[in-house]
């Protein structure tokens, strides 16, 4: 009874306070309230507006409270009374966040637009409004609503789930756009923490945005001080702050206890990674002797357990955990051996870091004997607080620095034991090495679980919101599987005429890089600097230098072409009479072009592509730049299979990334495709098309020329909309594809 009386007293006090606020409001708001109460929406709607109106007037303005009345009426008519009753309460919370009338009006406009275009989703949007405003702000909410409403054109239920935050794409967007703790937010706090913990005052800076991507993901240190990532995506603010503290504590341990750097010399990447892991554990163990409280900070980020798959990267993570977490034990033989060897060596000589190199070499060799795949390009130091270990090694060449870290984290990705090159590096016996290569060549298939070597994420352009979706697509970079190339080689021998013509045209194409020669006695143009110097000499009554001309001269042929071959499901269809498929003609054309360019000394790379949703965009490497056209290239061409869909944007971005690393005078991306961009996870017919157009503009800014061979009778002219009419060669007669390559070099002459 006492509780009931207290609740009644509180309700009465709230009612009195609300009525007092009502008396202080103007007649305009009173009229709006009267209109709501007499409209027949029900007492629940009226009471919600009566209660929240004064709150909005106080937080923003009375005009905002009046406008809210019009919104409540609109939502009641379009979406029903229940949704209308929720609007005032959500609006009151939004007003506390938005503060200004302009921002509050825009928030109301988003609700009104949703009520007009998708009335059944208003309640869903009200449910996510609080989180969205708190995490991504009004601008992010505007984009979120635009993306959701765009889905209604093809799937209204999917659009409703998106606005409710229940769709996977919606959750991904909200997670990626949510505010994370940034280095700038805690810079002074971190410097104070490090100085207090270690008594060290090195420069602590944010890793610059121009640094390689792998260096931006982990902490690092060197002669110039300590660098920290700008943020830790995927971690909330509390965990991000703990990560910063853990990273500084770890780097400080290296500075204090790693007395000399290791020499790389002839060590393999796997050996470097295991030795680095043991050195990380050694310096942390020494730090714990002085500051035992660091154990709870570090061990909280060691989450890999014995239930994980027995892969090289997971076993290494489990070894890291067992060396610091006193409550964790692992029954894996390799992990137990690593722990035993480390404990024995540390107990004997804890300050001697050379035992890490000795033990690390043994453990790495064991992993090699176990044939557990390890790719330095896809390995990232785990857990996230540990540094990239570049500061504890000396490297002979700059590229080796990159091998210790990776562009994209791949924790949890299946990595099978079928990678031929890795097997060759790790297998000591030549006979077993040949057997492994033969077995792998038979088993490799166009699937992720077969030969994933790198996973790289790329953004994707959303034409509805006119914004990039960060880290939206995952490109699986593989080596194409091999298959007997008897049929391809037979067809290649029958096309000697085309090959001869192509070689002749390539040789005559004007793809040379030019350089200016200056200060010549004769030439094609006046050298402005030399003319100025000559005039100055005249005025000083000196004899001028007569070498005032210049000319352009050729450095030699300088061309790189990357040919992307569409291997989507539709390329398996017959290309015409004779039984050859579209993919067969693409293979033949690629083989002709690669052989001709090798003959003339130009550089060429080949890759196939298809997609199975944004999470699995396949990029199959057939021939890399600098690699000769040999039997392996023909076998990888023959191994391409028609499957899945065509998602052009991320493939073009990855191709552009590879070309951007080249230094050629002319860089060309050539796409051979038989249809419009499409994928099973995209309903909007213009979405992938607009993303490909946006990717093309990005490549143009980077100085990369893009051409397209459009195969078949594409009446809707998708290729022309993406690449532009001048950069497309349309081939209705697919049998003419090999010969059509001749026209490409006509463009290169211009």
């Amino acid at each position: 009874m006492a509780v009931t009386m207290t609740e009644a007293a509180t309700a009465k006090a709230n009612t009195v306070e609300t009525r007092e606020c009502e008396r202080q409001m103007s007649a305009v708001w009173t009229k709006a309230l009267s209109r709501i109460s007499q409209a027949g929406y029900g007492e629940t709607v009226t009471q919600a507006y009566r209660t929240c109106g004064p709150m909005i007037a106080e937080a923003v303005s009375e005009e905002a409270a009046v406008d809210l009345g019009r919104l409540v009426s609109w939502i009641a008519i379009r979406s029903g009374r229940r949704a209308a009753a929720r609007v005032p309460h959500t609006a009151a919370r939004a007003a506390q966040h938005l503060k200004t009338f302009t921002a509050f009006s825009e928030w109301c406009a988003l609700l009104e637009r949703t009520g007009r275009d998708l009335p059944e989703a208003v309640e869903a949007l009200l449910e996510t409004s609080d989180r969205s405003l708190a995490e991504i702000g009004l601008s992010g909410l505007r984009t979120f609503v635009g993306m959701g409403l765009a889905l209604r054109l093809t799937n209204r239920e999917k659009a409703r789930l998106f606005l409710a935050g229940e769709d996977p794409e919606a959750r991904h967007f909200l997670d990626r756009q949510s505010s994370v703790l940034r280095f700038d937010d805690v810079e002074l706090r971190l410097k104070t923490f490090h100085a207090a913990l270690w008594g060290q005052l090195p420069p602590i800076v944010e890793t610059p945005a121009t640094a390689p991507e792998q260096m931006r993901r982990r902490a690092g240190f060197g002669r110039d001080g300590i660098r920290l990532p700008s943020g830790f995506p995927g971690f909330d603010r509390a965990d991000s702050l703990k990560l910063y503290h853990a990273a500084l504590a770890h780097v400080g341990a290296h500075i204090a206890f790693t007395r000399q750097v290791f020499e790389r010399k002839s060590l393999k990447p796997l050996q470097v990674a295991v030795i680095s892991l043991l050195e990380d554990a050694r310096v942390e163990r020494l730090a714990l002797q002085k500051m035992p409280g660091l154990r709870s900070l570090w061990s909280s980020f060691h989450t890999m357990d014995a239930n994980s798959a027995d892969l090289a990267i997971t076993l290494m993570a489990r070894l890291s955990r067992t060396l610091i977490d006193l409550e964790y034990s692992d029954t894996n033989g390799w992990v137990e051996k690593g722990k035993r060897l480390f404990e024995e060596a540390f107990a004997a000589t804890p300050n001697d870091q050379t035992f890490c190199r000795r033990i690390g070499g043994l453990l790495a060799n064991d992993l090699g004997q176990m044939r557990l795949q390890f790719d330095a390009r896809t390995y990232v130091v785990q857990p996230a607080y540990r540094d990239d270990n570049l500061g504890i090694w000396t490297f002979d060449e700059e590229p080796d620095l990159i091998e210790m870290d990776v562009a994209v984290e791949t924790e949890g990705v299946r990595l099978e034991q079928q990678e031929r090159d890795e097997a060759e590096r790790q297998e000591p016996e030549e006979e077993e090495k040949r057997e492994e290569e033969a077995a792998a060549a038979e088993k490799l298939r166009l699937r992720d679980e077969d030969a994933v070597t790198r996973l790289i994420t790329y953004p994707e352009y959303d034409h509805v919101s006119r914004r990039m979706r960060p880290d939206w697509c995952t490109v699986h970079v593989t080596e194409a599987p091999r298959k007997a190339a008897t049929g391809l080689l037979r067809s290649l021998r029958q096309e000697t005429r085309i090959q001869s013509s192509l070689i002749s045209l390539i040789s005559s194409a004007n793809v040379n890089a030019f350089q200016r020669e200056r200060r010549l006695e004769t030439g094609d143009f006046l050298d402005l600097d030399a003319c100025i110097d000559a005039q100055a000499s005249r005025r000083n009554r000196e004899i001028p230098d007569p070498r005032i001309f210049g000319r352009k001269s050729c450095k030699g042929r300088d061309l790189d072409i990357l040919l992307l071959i569409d291997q989507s499901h539709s390329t398996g269809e017959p290309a015409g009479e004779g039984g050859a498929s579209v993919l067969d003609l693409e293979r033949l054309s690629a083989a002709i072009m690669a052989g001709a360019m090798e003959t003339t000394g130009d550089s060429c790379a080949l890759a196939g592509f298809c997609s199975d949703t944004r999470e699995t965009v396949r990029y199959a490497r057939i021939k890399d730049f600098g690699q000769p056209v040999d039997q392996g290239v023909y076998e990888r061409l023959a191994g391409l299979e028609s499957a899945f869909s065509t998602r052009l944007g991320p493939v073009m971005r990855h191709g552009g990334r590879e070309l951007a690393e080249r230094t050629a005078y002319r860089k060309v991306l050539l796409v051979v495709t038989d249809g419009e961009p499409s994928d099973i996870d995209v309903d909007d017919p213009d979405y992938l098309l607009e993303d490909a157009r946006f990717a093309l503009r990005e490549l143009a800014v980077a100085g990369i020329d893009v051409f397209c061979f459009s195969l078949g009778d594409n009446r809707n002219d998708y290729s022309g909309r993406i690449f532009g009419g001048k950069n497309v060669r349309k081939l209705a007669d697919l049998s003419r594809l090999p010969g059509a390559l001749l026209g490409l070099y006509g463009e290169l002459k211009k």
Side-chain angles (χ1 to χ4, degrees):
M1 178 64 70
V3 174
T4 304
M5 291 177 63
T6 302
E7 292 177 349
T10 302
K12 182 177 180 180
N14 290 338
T15 303
V16 171
E17 182 179 353
T18 301
R19 289 176 178 173
E20 178 62 27
C21 292
E22 288 181 30
R23 284 193 290 270
Q24 296 175 4
M25 302 282 282
S26 70
V28 178
W29 183 82
T30 305
K31 184 177 180 180
L33 175 60
S34 176
R35 190 163 48 245
I36 293 291
S37 63
Q38 296 175 13
Y41 303 141
E43 181 58 28
T44 304
V45 176
T46 303
Q47 182 59 35
Y49 183 59
R50 177 185 293 114
T51 302
C52 298
M55 300 167 57
I56 294 170
E58 181 180 358
V60 181
S61 69
E62 187 174 333
E63 185 180 2
V66 174
D67 284 351
L68 178 66
R70 289 191 284 268
L71 176 64
V72 170
S73 295
W74 171 265
I75 297 299
I77 295 171
R78 301 286 296 181
S79 303
R81 298 179 181 181
R82 191 172 67 176
R86 297 189 61 175
V87 170
H89 296 287
T90 308
R93 294 190 295 270
Q96 296 294 328
H97 180 85
L98 298 172
K99 305 295 185 184
T100 67
F101 176 74
T102 302
F104 183 80
S105 297
E106 184 173 353
W107 180 86
C108 292
L110 291 175
L111 272 182
E112 184 176 346
R113 177 186 173 190
T114 305
R116 181 184 65 248
D117 295 343
L118 195 67
E120 64 268 30
V122 169
E123 283 193 80
L125 180 58
L126 290 170
E127 291 177 1
T128 57
S129 175
D130 292 343
R131 176 195 173 186
S132 301
L133 286 176
E135 296 186 358
I136 64 178
L138 182 60
S139 176
L141 180 62
R142 186 191 315 119
T143 302
F144 179 74
V145 172
M147 293 169 60
L149 293 181
L151 296 174
R152 81 187 192 283
L153 300 175
T154 54
N155 191 328
R156 296 182 71 90
E157 178 59 19
K158 182 178 178 63
R160 189 193 66 79
L161 293 174
F162 186 96
L163 292 176
E166 299 175 6
D167 184 81
E169 290 192 9
R171 291 194 296 269
H172 180 88
F173 176 83
L174 293 172
D175 290 341
R176 292 296 308 175
Q177 295 294 324
S178 63
S179 57
V180 299
L181 187 70
R182 314 299 297 181
F183 175 82
D184 292 340
D185 300 333
V186 290
E187 179 178 359
L188 181 59
R189 185 174 178 179
L190 294 178
K191 292 179 178 178
T192 304
F193 170 84
H194 187 76
L197 186 67
W198 289 109
Q200 303 169 354
L201 294 173
I204 300 178
V205 299
E206 179 182 359
T207 304
T210 56
E213 183 180 0
Q214 58 269 28
M215 296 180 67
R216 300 197 301 269
R217 292 183 175 271
R218 289 290 182 266
F221 68 97
R223 292 186 299 271
D224 298 329
I226 300 173
R227 53 177 172 78
L228 294 175
S230 58
F232 289 97
F235 293 88
D236 60 27
R237 295 181 69 87
D239 285 341
S240 292
L241 182 59
K242 287 181 61 178
L243 267 174
Y244 275 125
H245 287 164
L248 283 175
H250 179 79
V251 169
H254 271 304
I255 296 175
F257 303 117
T258 300
R259 302 299 184 183
Q260 59 185 12
V261 295
F262 295 99
E263 293 184 2
R264 168 73 184 270
K265 293 185 177 180
S266 60
L267 292 178
K268 296 179 180 179
L270 179 58
Q271 293 172 315
V272 172
V274 177
I275 294 170
S276 300
L277 182 156
L278 295 175
E279 178 61 8
D280 286 341
R282 187 187 73 87
V283 298
E284 288 184 356
R285 186 72 63 87
L286 291 173
L288 290 173
Q289 292 178 352
K290 294 185 175 183
M291 294 171 283
L294 289 176
R295 187 183 302 276
S296 61
L297 176 64
W298 284 330
S299 61
S300 63
F301 294 105
H302 289 263
T303 58
M304 192 66 68
D305 58 30
N307 294 324
S308 61
D310 290 341
L311 307 174
I313 55 175
T314 56
L315 288 178
M316 291 165 63
R318 287 157 63 177
L319 176 59
S320 294
R321 181 176 180 181
T322 194
L323 293 178
I324 192 172
D325 190 344
L326 299 178
E327 299 179 358
Y328 174 75
S329 61
D330 200 301
T331 58
N332 179 270
W334 184 86
V335 176
E336 289 183 334
K337 178 180 179 180
K339 180 176 175 61
R340 175 175 54 81
L341 293 176
F342 178 88
E343 296 294 352
E344 293 174 355
F346 186 86
T349 55
N351 295 313
D352 181 13
Q353 67 187 66
T354 58
F355 79 78
C356 295
R357 179 157 188 158
R358 173 173 50 83
I359 296 174
L362 294 174
L363 294 175
N365 289 337
D366 288 345
L367 286 178
Q369 294 296 325
M370 293 161 64
R371 303 229 183 112
L372 297 181
Q373 183 183 13
F374 176 85
D375 193 328
R377 295 168 298 179
T378 56
Y379 171 69
V380 63
V381 178
Q382 294 293 347
Y385 73 84
R386 286 189 170 175
D387 67 292
D388 54 22
N389 287 320
L390 299 184
I392 66 173
W393 289 91
T394 59
F395 297 88
D396 298 331
E397 298 177 355
E398 183 67 19
D400 290 338
L401 296 175
I402 306 304
E403 290 184 344
M404 286 300 300
D405 212 346
V406 69
V408 179
E409 294 187 45
T410 59
E411 184 175 5
V413 177
R414 285 189 66 189
L415 295 175
E416 294 288 342
Q417 303 174 19
Q418 315 299 332
E419 178 70 11
R420 179 184 301 98
D421 294 337
E422 189 63 27
E424 290 178 350
R425 290 195 297 269
Q426 297 179 1
E427 181 58 50
E429 298 296 334
E430 290 297 324
E431 183 64 24
E432 292 185 12
K433 195 164 61 174
R434 285 192 294 270
E435 292 176 0
E436 177 69 16
E437 179 177 350
E442 290 296 323
K443 295 179 181 178
L444 282 172
R445 277 330 212 203
L446 191 59
R447 296 293 186 271
D448 281 348
E449 61 266 24
D450 290 329
V452 172
T453 57
R454 282 190 297 166
L455 299 181
I456 303 178
T457 58
Y458 288 95
E460 195 166 67
Y461 179 70
D462 179 16
H463 72 102
V464 176
S465 62
R466 298 182 181 179
R467 293 179 61 178
M468 297 294 287
R469 294 179 169 182
D471 296 341
W472 194 252
C473 297
T474 303
V475 175
H476 294 229
V477 183
T478 72
E479 181 182 282
R482 293 195 181 194
K483 185 178 178 181
T486 306
L488 175 61
L489 293 175
R490 185 187 308 114
S491 300
L492 197 59
R493 286 192 292 269
Q494 297 173 357
E495 300 291 347
T496 54
R497 180 185 60 81
I498 292 180
Q499 294 182 65
S500 299
S501 301
L502 186 58
I503 291 173
S504 176
L505 189 57
I506 293 176
S507 301
S508 63
N510 184 15
V511 292
N512 301 302
F514 291 92
Q515 62 183 7
R516 289 176 177 266
E517 297 183 63
R518 301 181 181 276
R519 297 188 181 275
L520 304 176
E521 292 188 4
T522 60
D524 303 326
F525 58 87
L526 288 173
D527 184 346
L528 183 58
D529 291 337
C531 291
I532 293 174
D533 292 342
Q535 188 64 21
S537 298
R538 285 179 180 276
R539 293 192 176 186
N540 291 331
R541 299 179 181 276
E542 298 173 354
I543 299 176
D545 190 335
R547 296 175 298 175
I548 60 172
F549 294 96
R551 75 164 66 96
K552 290 182 179 179
S553 61
C554 292
K555 289 172 55 180
R557 299 182 60 81
D558 200 5
L559 170 68
D560 284 345
I561 286 187
L562 173 57
L563 176 61
L564 298 180
I565 303 171
D566 183 359
Q567 55 176 116
S568 59
H569 179 74
S570 57
T571 61
E573 299 296 326
E577 298 180 0
S581 68
V582 174
L583 185 57
D584 289 334
L585 292 176
E586 290 180 329
R587 293 192 190 103
L588 177 60
S589 303
I592 291 174
M593 191 180 84
M597 292 192 68
E598 183 177 51
T599 302
T600 57
D602 289 324
S603 184
C604 174
L606 308 175
F609 70 91
C610 61
S611 66
D612 182 19
T613 76
R614 65 182 178 85
E615 299 291 349
T616 314
V617 181
R618 293 169 167 82
Y619 185 98
R621 292 167 38 244
I622 302 168
K623 176 187 177 301
D624 295 331
F625 287 111
Q627 182 180 0
V629 181
D630 54 14
Q631 183 68 20
V633 171
Y634 295 133
E635 290 178 356
R636 283 188 287 272
L637 273 171
L640 295 181
E641 299 178 1
S642 299
F644 305 115
S645 305
T646 308
R647 203 176 193 116
L648 271 179
V651 173
M652 292 170 60
R653 289 186 177 93
H654 183 74
R657 174 177 176 169
E658 293 198 351
L659 283 169
E661 296 174 354
R662 306 288 296 173
T663 59
Y665 167 69
R666 191 79 183 272
K667 304 174 185 179
V668 177
L669 183 68
L670 179 57
V671 181
V672 180
T673 180
D674 72 331
E676 74 277 13
S678 63
D679 212 337
I680 60 173
D681 61 341
V682 176
D683 298 320
D684 184 351
D686 292 329
Y687 176 84
L688 294 180
L689 187 148
E690 293 297 331
D691 174 61
R693 289 181 61 188
F694 199 85
L696 182 69
R697 291 196 291 270
E698 294 174 334
L699 295 176
V701 172
I704 298 173
D705 296 325
V706 183
F707 293 86
C708 173
F709 279 110
S710 179
L711 310 181
D713 185 14
N714 292 329
R715 298 178 181 178
N716 292 326
D717 193 20
Y718 295 103
S719 59
R721 291 176 60 187
I722 296 173
F723 299 94
K726 294 182 179 180
N727 296 330
V728 175
R729 297 289 179 272
K730 299 177 182 178
L731 296 176
D733 183 0
L734 303 186
S735 63
R736 298 177 55 194
L737 177 59
L741 288 170
L742 298 174
L744 170 66
Y745 289 93
E747 289 294 330
L748 297 180
K749 286 183 176 181
K750 297 180 181 179

